[in-house]
Amino acid sequence: MSSQTTAAATAPAPRGAVRAVLAPIFRLLRRYAWVHRWRYLGGLLTLGLTNWLTVEIPVSIGVALDRYRAGEALGGPVAAVVLMGALVIVVRTLSRVLVFNPGRDIERDLRDDMFRDLLSRRASFFARHTTGDIISRAANDITFARAVVGFGLMQAVNVSMALVMTGWKMWALSPILTVLSAIPIFVGLVVVQQSSSLVMSLHRRSQEQLGELSEHVLSSFQGIATIQGFVAEPRFIERFEDKATALLRTRMRGALLGGVAFPSLLLAGSLSIFVLLYVGGPMAIRGELSVGEVAAFATLLGILLPPLRSMGWMLSVFQRGSVSIQRIFDLLDTPHDQPEGPDAPPAPVDGAPWISVDGLSVAYPEAPDKQVLHDLRFTVQPGAVVGVFGRTGSGKTTLLKVLARLIDPPAGAVRVGTGPDQAADLRAVQLRAWQNLVCMAWQRPFLFSETIADNVEVGPRGPSDALDRSLALAALRADLSSFPAGVETVVGERGVMLSGGQRQRVALARALHKLARRPGGLLLLDDVLSAVDHATEAQLVGALRSLGAGGVAPTTFIVSHRVSALRHADLVLVLDEGRLVDQGPPAVLIERDGPFREAWRAQLPRGEGADGAAVGGAA
Amino acid sequence: MSAPDDERGLDQASDLQLVGRLWPFVRPDAWTLGLALLLTPAIAALNLAQPLLLKEAIDGHLVPEVLDGLDQVALLYLAAVLGAYITEAAYSLALSWGGERTILRLRKALYSHALTLAQRFFDRQPAGKLLTRVTNDVEALGESIASGVVSIVLDLLLILGIGGTMLWLNWQLSLLLLLLAPPLLGSIEWMRLQLKRLFVVVREAQADLNAFLAERVDGAQVIQLQGAQPWAEAEFARRSRTFTEANKSANIYDAAMFAVVDGASRIFVAVVLWGGTGLAADALAAVGIEGAAPPLSVGLLVAFMDYLDRLFRPLRELSGKITILQRAATSLQRLFWLLDVNDKVEPGTVAAPRLRGALVLEGVRFRYRPDQPEVLKGVDLRVEPGQSVAVVGATGSGKTTLMRLLDRSYDGYTGSVRVDGHELRALDPAGLRRQLVAVRQDIQLFAQPLSFNVDLGNSEISVTAREAAAAAANATGFVERLGWGHVLRERGADLSVGEGQLLTFARALAHDPVLVILDEATASVDSLTEGLVQEAIGRILEGRTVLIVAHRLSTVQRADRIAVMADGQVVEFGAHAELLALGGRYAALVAAGQVALGEGSPAQAQVQAGAPDVG
């Protein structure tokens, strides 16, 4: 007892480290493994039986050899070995299945939970975690986590059982031989343990270097125009060689260590056999040990080695796994960005929202000093069509993001509802309920590498006539006929098979498709109308008021720098450098000096200006 | 098609041919592989000796109780053990050395070769796929060299050696064991095939799962806005389950295979006891066969059991190693495919003289591929030395294609392009590119120090020249903030788009070109940087022959002349005021806001030239 307490007193750090390694593992076990406890118990029992059989077989062989030497009947022990051998096949299979398969189930539960969590995350989360980082946790770390609850658990049980059972049997045969043969094995174990952490770090280093090399190659291929254009090939090859040679050096150091240190445990096992011959042989001749017992001892030594050899591996499984589990929990533990709180009221509006913006200022977290939107004030009636006009960088897209609540507005800056009397702070409204109303098409939309139909539906497939209507409204029909498989054409990664305009129209169809499923709603079009020709644009803008299901028109925001798209709007907001410099119906705006009138004059062919003004005035 | 587009187009070369082609890469270190090969008989012999010494100890000393000489046997055993350890270490080091050096040479050859290939090749081949050739395929090959051919020789030597020794010690018992081998090996092979089949399922399920995951993470916002979370969760769970179930089935076979080998080795030992101790002879005598299985000494029984143990390992590993070799053959095939690609820009033979920068195009026609329509349909254009010409036009009018012909990213045009009177395709490309620099829209930055991103390692560019170029390109601000030694993140992710542009301007200026081909970026940058970019473009235009694809009115106005392209031809040419007065296409472009508002056409992805445009 006293030795234990001194060990604890002199070495608190390792104990703390052990606890740090174990804490995430216990958390995983509590949350995900407990439900599989009965299977694990079965696995534990069969593992125990396997280990017992493994140790019992050489003992029976030893008995058989001694009986043979003594001329006695040995059918019994031989039959026992056969039986136990057959039993080993069954229980070893069972033990691995019973321990490994729950590990797979835990992996799946964890992965599904991660996915559910990721889908509920907002922009702030994705700004902090890149896709690569998330995928690496969900695909790689989860593998290491699974290794802990599968291979790691099994090996931990195996190693401890093998050590105890084999050690006990060997001790029973000869305590002296056990101690003597333990010496080389212990030395070998230390050598392997020490070198394996070194080999691991060399392996990690070589993986990093391979990553650097890959990055160099990839960037060379992606930047081939630059390399060739500036005749820089020799310099890039030189850098490539440096990196490849560094990798080779690391690998060779690993190979040196692996080739010399790793077999040392095997060597230790053979050295123990030498000890057995050199010391145990004379003992047998003196009659202190039977020949069968010497043979059994040798076999037991052989049984002891494999679990010992995998011990280093097992420890690294726990270490690596613990880090990985922690990384996964870190992701899951990131607080949810939910300013409305968990019990927010649902959206105060079900159809087309009334929106009032009063003193809206927005800055992005990465540049808090730079206001992208500054003190915006305007009111929009339900079902109105609002044009947003301004140059690049004037804050148009940011405004739409706020309305879609991809960015949270400051408290009280945006109120939504059915009218002034029935409105709530947008920030305090339940996010999902609000986004249920939002139908949005981006200027640079995200497309899934699936079919066009899947990209418009996003969710489960609905009736095809509804899909056709949305595609037609977005002016995609003509494009579809030129695609190999129509709506079932796969668009490639991020839609590479489509032109920029086609991608925007698919996004438009997606937004319109969602809109068609409900009365009213909030339609946000971020400069996607430039992807269609003027006739389609006019037709679409004209149709907006009758788009909503049940004749309830959506409240619509159209971002454009094309005045033709805005001339039917009820209200045009003119943005410049984040400020609302003018607002009013288009017919009014063209009457006074400002960016809108300038663009109106420049963009509309001569003679049409007055005509257009008349149309705008009528709206 | 000049070159097959992927490895599927190739005939399967025979394994022998593959080895023949690999040989030049192996040859410089062939001695290490030879050394490893020479060591294999020694390793096998030292391994074979150990059970024999054990037998000698038991039969010669333990059983007859002769102490004399036992220590010598034990020491011989020790020598065999140490000898095996040393030879095996030397063997594995030699293999690693030879293997690593071979793949280094192969890698370098692949990389250097790829850098000589034409742009159009890279347009067709995803960079990620080519990367796989240089990394994964080479790795697979390295693995096969380290644990492939030579170690199979060792395994075979061990199997034959042990088998032979066993036959020599007692052929009857060996034959008896041999009878048991087929069912065991057969069942293992069967399980291995099942596993192989399941692993294909597992890999596919995993690829499917990860692709789905990656896309949903990227498109999380879309899914939320479309209210499709429940559907996406269900879809993911379905894929997740498929993957897990496939793994669980594979687990069962894997566990069984492991257990069968383990259990069978015990049963074999029992058979040795049964056959070696006369039990079998008793059984055979009962059916009338006498003397078929004479009883053995205890030492021989122990040696037999030891041999059996040693026999199982190489037997178990052999088929795995053959799989590795098969995989390596596939990798080799792919590697040689890349080495065989000869898709290069026609090398001109005329050494480029010091250029003045006169550029004359006459009736230039071009199509990306024979099966695609012409993109340029007779371009005529004349640029005087020192003159700047802005090229404007709607998307798809051929502006970018024209630029790519001029910087020799593509060739195969008809008509004539003359630089100072020399036909472009006749000039040596490297000599030309030292004087003609193209600045493309897509900003290509490297994860290297800022200084390298400007001079690209060219030692002829002095520090002062680099500083001056940065100053002229308005890049000094952020360069000083970060320092020249600052290593950029991948693709310059730590610079803003505008800063990236300025850096590529600095790169172009540092190389002091006579002729500049500039594709102005359509990407919008913040207004402050926008001013810096405009100013830098103004400086590039000074005193050089510049052809610039322009999207901003301010840029267009800075140029000496404007060439308006439409449908693959230059349709208008002149100064800004002239063209406005003309009231033609240029005037319409300006009026439509496609030039004036500082925003490019949305379909900028179309510059993915060469890719079949579906639209």
Side-chain angles (χ1 to χ4, degrees):
Chain A
M1 273 324 262
S2 66
S3 72
Q4 259 185 3
T5 46
T6 44
T10 51
R15 279 190 63 176
V18 167
R19 199 171 302 146
V21 167
L22 289 181
I25 295 176
F26 280 139
R27 187 173 164 196
L28 180 77
L29 290 179
R30 265 200 308 278
R31 196 154 141 199
Y32 288 96
W34 184 241
V35 290
H36 303 295
R37 59 188 176 279
W38 298 117
R39 275 201 284 170
Y40 275 126
L41 188 66
L44 200 69
L45 288 176
T46 43
L47 266 184
L49 193 54
T50 309
N51 276 297
W52 180 79
L53 288 169
T54 310
V55 175
E56 207 48 52
I57 287 171
V59 175
S60 295
I61 293 171
V63 171
L65 284 176
D66 281 342
R67 287 202 186 168
Y68 175 51
R69 221 188 126 206
E72 293 166 18
L74 69 163
V78 171
V81 171
V82 173
L83 259 179
M84 288 193 285
L87 204 54
V88 160
I89 296 180
V90 177
V91 287
R92 204 183 262 289
T93 307
L94 267 180
S95 71
R96 292 197 146 216
V97 170
L98 283 171
V99 176
F100 284 174
N101 280 0
R104 287 283 175 189
D105 287 328
I106 290 170
E107 180 191 23
R108 191 197 60 220
D109 291 342
L110 188 57
R111 191 169 48 220
D112 290 357
D113 281 357
M114 276 182 90
F115 186 73
R116 198 169 303 121
D117 182 75
L118 286 170
L119 272 197
S120 69
R121 293 294 185 170
R122 302 184 61 194
S124 59
F125 177 87
F126 293 110
R128 211 165 345 144
H129 301 283
T130 63
T131 308
D133 176 36
I134 293 170
I135 302 297
S136 143
R137 294 183 204 221
N140 302 336
D141 282 322
I142 213 158
T143 310
F144 290 110
R146 189 238 312 148
V148 169
V149 288
F151 176 83
L153 274 183
M154 186 194 79
Q155 219 47 22
V157 174
N158 256 348
V159 168
S160 36
M161 280 189 178
L163 272 179
V164 171
M165 288 189 177
T166 321
W168 171 61
K169 283 283 175 197
M170 285 165 69
W171 187 266
L173 288 172
S174 162
I176 296 173
L177 282 180
T178 307
V179 171
L180 285 178
S181 58
I183 293 170
I185 289 180
F186 182 75
V187 172
L189 202 58
V190 169
V191 171
V192 169
Q193 242 8 293
Q194 291 298 316
S195 57
S196 70
S197 65
L198 210 57
V199 167
M200 284 279 287
S201 78
L202 282 174
H203 178 70
R204 259 199 303 278
R205 180 87 198 96
S206 77
Q207 287 301 106
E208 281 165 22
Q209 285 174 329
L210 184 63
E212 284 168 26
L213 187 72
S214 300
E215 184 49 44
H216 180 78
V217 173
L218 189 64
S219 70
S220 305
F221 289 169
Q222 285 167 342
I224 188 79
T226 303
I227 296 172
Q228 292 180 346
F230 289 90
V231 203
E233 293 94 336
R235 274 102 67 189
F236 275 80
I237 291 172
E238 205 175 288
R239 282 178 184 243
F240 174 85
E241 266 191 292
D242 290 348
K243 287 176 195 294
T245 311
L247 175 65
L248 177 128
R249 289 219 185 87
T250 311
R251 288 246 176 103
M252 279 314 299
R253 282 171 62 198
L256 185 67
L257 215 53
V260 174
F262 275 2
S264 65
L265 196 59
L266 213 61
L267 174 69
S270 301
L271 288 180
S272 302
I273 303 270
F274 160 73
V275 170
L276 186 64
L277 286 181
Y278 201 80
V279 181
M283 283 169 70
I285 292 168
R286 285 196 299 272
E288 293 163 33
L289 210 63
S290 77
V291 174
E293 281 168 340
V294 170
F297 202 92
T299 316
L300 286 172
L301 277 172
I303 290 170
L304 192 60
L305 288 181
L308 285 184
R309 221 176 334 167
S310 64
M311 212 160 92
W313 191 18
M314 180 194 84
L315 289 179
S316 77
V317 161
F318 278 110
Q319 268 165 6
R320 183 76 184 84
S322 166
V323 173
S324 287
I325 294 168
Q326 190 56 51
R327 275 165 55 82
I328 291 169
F329 280 133
D330 281 348
L331 205 66
L332 292 172
D333 290 343
T334 312
H336 278 260
D337 193 2
Q338 200 180 20
E340 70 270 25
D343 314 309
V349 53
D350 199 26
W354 171 89
I355 298 170
S356 165
V357 171
D358 190 15
L360 171 66
S361 297
V362 173
Y364 284 101
E366 56 269 25
D369 303 335
K370 201 186 156 219
Q371 285 200 343
V372 188
L373 291 178
H374 184 78
D375 199 26
L376 262 49
R377 288 164 204 275
F378 61 88
T379 303
V380 174
Q381 298 306 320
V385 176
V386 181
V388 184
F389 179 81
R391 288 189 302 164
T392 305
S394 58
K396 295 171 300 198
T397 300
T398 306
L399 175 61
L400 292 204
K401 282 187 178 171
V402 170
L403 294 174
R405 247 193 91 189
L406 298 175
I407 300 170
D408 287 317
V414 180
R415 294 176 59 76
V416 294
T418 53
D421 316 323
Q422 193 83 54
D425 187 1
L426 176 58
R427 189 185 168 86
V429 164
Q430 196 191 320
L431 181 70
R432 268 207 194 188
W434 175 253
Q435 289 190 337
N436 218 359
L437 296 177
V438 174
C439 307
M440 183 161 186
W442 293 99
Q443 191 186 5
R444 286 192 193 139
F446 178 86
L447 297 193
F448 299 100
S449 64
E450 288 161 10
T451 66
I452 290 176
D454 286 331
N455 266 294
V456 173
E457 296 271 16
V458 181
R461 290 288 182 93
S464 67
D465 54 330
L467 180 69
D468 285 344
R469 254 198 316 278
S470 303
L471 290 166
L473 263 177
L476 266 168
R477 245 191 205 147
D479 304 86
L480 287 176
S481 59
S482 71
F483 293 159
V487 289
E488 300 302 334
T489 305
V490 177
V491 300
E493 200 173 327
R494 284 173 174 263
V496 286
M497 293 286 292
L498 307 183
S499 73
Q502 286 169 338
R503 283 201 285 265
Q504 288 183 334
R505 273 173 279 155
V506 170
L508 180 61
R510 182 190 278 166
L512 295 174
H513 198 55
K514 183 183 176 194
L515 192 70
R517 292 195 201 121
R518 55 176 342 307
L522 176 62
L523 181 63
L524 304 172
L525 303 181
D526 185 14
D527 211 6
V528 288
L529 292 185
S530 54
V532 300
D533 59 39
H534 285 267
T536 316
E537 173 194 285
Q539 184 201 337
L540 186 67
V541 175
L544 278 179
R545 289 172 209 280
S546 58
L547 266 184
V552 183
T555 306
T556 304
F557 282 76
I558 302 174
V559 163
S560 185
H561 60 264
R562 229 155 80 173
V563 289
S564 59
L566 306 180
R567 63 177 168 184
H568 302 284
D570 299 305
L571 173 72
V572 171
L573 307 170
V574 183
L575 291 179
D576 190 34
E577 310 237 317
R579 287 164 199 275
L580 185 58
V581 293
D582 206 352
Q583 60 174 311
V588 174
L589 289 182
I590 58 166
E591 294 302 323
R592 48 183 186 236
D593 271 342
F596 191 74
R597 176 150 119 171
E598 274 172 40
W600 180 273
R601 289 209 173 129
Q603 290 179 24
L604 291 190
R606 243 163 262 142
E608 213 195 295
D611 185 34
V615 177
Chain B
M1 251 184 277
S2 53
D5 254 18
D6 57 43
E7 53 267 35
R8 281 193 304 270
L10 277 176
D11 292 330
Q12 295 278 313
S14 79
D15 292 350
L16 211 63
Q17 277 173 303
L18 286 177
V19 172
R21 291 201 58 181
L22 182 63
W23 179 243
F25 296 100
V26 181
R27 195 167 48 205
D29 286 297
W31 63 273
T32 59
L33 301 184
L35 176 69
L37 207 59
L38 279 177
L39 283 172
T40 52
I43 295 170
L46 287 165
N47 270 294
L48 282 173
Q50 292 171 25
L52 281 180
L53 289 167
L54 219 53
K55 170 187 172 292
E56 175 55 27
I58 293 173
D59 284 349
H61 300 277
L62 297 192
V63 174
E65 301 186 350
V66 179
L67 191 56
D68 201 29
L70 177 60
D71 52 349
Q72 273 131 341
V73 175
L75 286 170
L76 269 178
Y77 183 84
L78 179 67
V81 162
L82 289 174
Y85 171 74
I86 291 164
T87 46
E88 277 173 38
Y91 159 86
S92 80
L93 281 180
L95 280 187
S96 297
W97 180 253
E100 291 291 339
R101 299 256 300 173
T102 302
I103 66 172
L104 177 69
R105 275 189 289 272
L106 198 56
R107 249 197 199 125
K108 192 188 159 198
L110 281 166
Y111 178 76
S112 313
H113 175 73
L115 289 193
T116 67
L117 298 177
Q119 269 292 299
R120 55 175 178 252
F121 174 75
F122 289 92
D123 289 340
R124 281 201 303 272
Q125 300 290 336
K129 186 176 143 189
L130 294 176
L131 174 68
T132 311
R133 296 294 89 85
V134 183
T135 53
N136 298 24
D137 281 329
V138 176
E139 292 291 303
L141 193 66
E143 186 192 16
S144 82
I145 294 173
S147 66
V149 188
V150 181
S151 77
I152 285 180
V153 170
L154 178 58
D155 283 348
L156 285 175
L157 273 179
L158 279 171
I159 291 169
L160 290 176
I162 293 171
T165 314
M166 287 169 82
L167 278 170
W168 169 65
L169 286 174
N170 186 289
W171 62 269
Q172 294 96 332
L173 191 52
S174 304
L175 283 182
L176 182 64
L177 290 171
L178 209 58
L179 283 179
L180 285 177
L184 174 68
L185 294 178
S187 62
I188 290 174
E189 190 58 22
W190 179 76
M191 285 187 275
R192 212 179 57 80
L193 286 177
Q194 298 302 311
L195 269 179
K196 204 173 149 189
R197 179 181 59 79
L198 279 168
F199 279 146
V200 173
V201 179
V202 165
R203 261 199 306 278
E204 277 168 9
Q206 183 165 33
D208 189 32
L209 183 71
N210 285 345
F212 189 84
L213 173 72
E215 284 231 309
R216 303 303 127 168
V217 168
D218 273 343
Q221 225 163 44
V222 172
I223 292 173
Q224 288 164 10
L225 281 177
Q226 297 299 120
Q229 291 103 318
W231 171 81
E233 280 164 20
E235 280 292 297
F236 185 77
R238 190 170 61 75
R239 288 171 162 84
S240 185
R241 180 167 296 276
T242 309
F243 174 60
T244 298
E245 292 310 314
N247 266 312
K248 282 159 82 171
S249 314
N251 251 350
I252 295 174
Y253 285 107
D254 193 47
M257 196 158 99
F258 188 83
V260 163
V261 172
D262 193 31
S265 66
R266 326 280 155 143
I267 295 175
F268 271 50
V269 169
V271 170
V272 169
L273 284 175
W274 182 69
T277 56
L279 284 178
D282 294 347
L284 287 173
V287 293
I289 303 170
E290 295 285 346
L296 305 180
S297 70
V298 175
L300 207 55
L301 285 175
V302 172
F304 246 90
M305 290 188 247
D306 197 340
Y307 277 130
L308 266 181
D309 223 34
R310 287 170 196 265
L311 191 58
F312 267 101
R313 192 189 51 83
L315 271 181
R316 205 165 35 187
E317 288 177 2
L318 200 57
S319 75
K321 284 176 182 170
I322 289 169
T323 314
I324 290 177
L325 274 192
Q326 283 166 344
R327 207 162 42 214
T330 319
S331 290
L332 258 189
Q333 205 115 35
R334 294 203 205 111
L335 295 179
F336 288 135
W337 162 78
L338 181 53
L339 280 177
D340 286 342
V341 172
N342 195 23
D343 197 359
K344 300 181 183 179
V345 170
E346 208 178 299
T349 45
V350 178
R354 183 74 202 159
L355 297 176
R356 290 184 308 124
L359 192 62
V360 180
L361 284 76
E362 275 169 8
V364 175
R365 294 174 169 271
F366 177 74
R367 60 180 88 223
Y368 281 104
R369 285 163 77 159
D371 55 341
Q372 286 182 351
E374 274 190 336
V375 186
L376 300 182
K377 303 172 181 171
V379 175
D380 297 306
L381 186 64
R382 173 179 287 271
V383 186
E384 305 298 336
Q387 198 179 46
S388 56
V389 173
V391 181
V392 298
T395 303
S397 57
K399 299 173 304 223
T400 300
T401 305
L402 181 62
M403 300 291 160
R404 298 210 164 171
L405 278 190
L406 293 176
D407 76 358
R408 299 280 279 139
S409 295
Y410 284 84
D411 63 3
Y413 62 87
T414 59
S416 106
V417 178
R418 285 195 304 279
V419 186
D420 285 10
H422 302 280
E423 187 60 43
L424 188 68
R425 69 167 84 81
L427 289 172
D428 149 49
L432 175 72
R433 285 169 178 158
R434 287 201 180 89
Q435 304 179 62
L436 180 151
V437 153
V439 181
R440 297 158 66 112
Q441 266 210 39
D442 49 331
I443 299 161
Q444 297 184 335
L445 296 176
F446 303 96
Q448 300 276 357
L450 279 175
S451 55
F452 182 87
N453 271 289
V454 170
D455 61 28
L456 295 173
N458 187 342
S459 54
E460 285 168 27
I461 297 172
S462 69
V463 175
T464 21
R466 197 178 69 204
E467 303 268 2
N474 273 339
T476 314
F478 68 90
V479 166
E480 275 177 1
R481 192 183 73 233
L482 298 168
W484 278 110
H486 173 79
V487 177
L488 287 181
R489 300 229 310 264
E490 287 172 30
R491 285 172 283 284
D494 40 355
L495 294 184
S496 75
V497 176
E499 288 168 341
Q501 276 177 27
L502 296 179
L503 203 60
T504 57
F505 290 167
R507 177 190 294 160
L509 289 170
H511 287 76
D512 193 26
V514 178
L515 248 159
V516 175
I517 314 280
L518 205 160
D519 202 350
E520 186 181 20
T522 50
S524 43
V525 295
D526 64 89
S527 46
L528 180 69
T529 321
E530 178 70 36
L532 296 176
V533 169
Q534 288 299 320
E535 209 176 272
I537 289 181
R539 293 203 191 109
I540 293 175
L541 295 181
E542 285 162 19
R544 288 182 187 79
T545 313
V546 182
L547 207 58
I548 176 169
V549 172
H551 304 287
R552 288 163 177 78
L553 190 57
S554 54
T555 313
V556 176
Q557 283 172 326
R558 267 209 192 90
D560 300 326
R561 292 285 183 281
I562 296 158
V564 182
M565 286 194 73
D567 195 27
Q569 287 182 316
V570 174
V571 292
E572 290 173 20
F573 188 80
H576 174 71
E578 285 169 42
L579 294 184
L580 267 192
L582 195 67
R585 265 178 205 274
Y586 180 70
L589 275 173
V590 173
Q594 291 208 18
V595 191
L597 269 159
E599 281 182 84
S601 52
Q604 46 181 278
Q606 303 239 339
V607 295
Q608 280 283 343
D613 195 344
V614 189

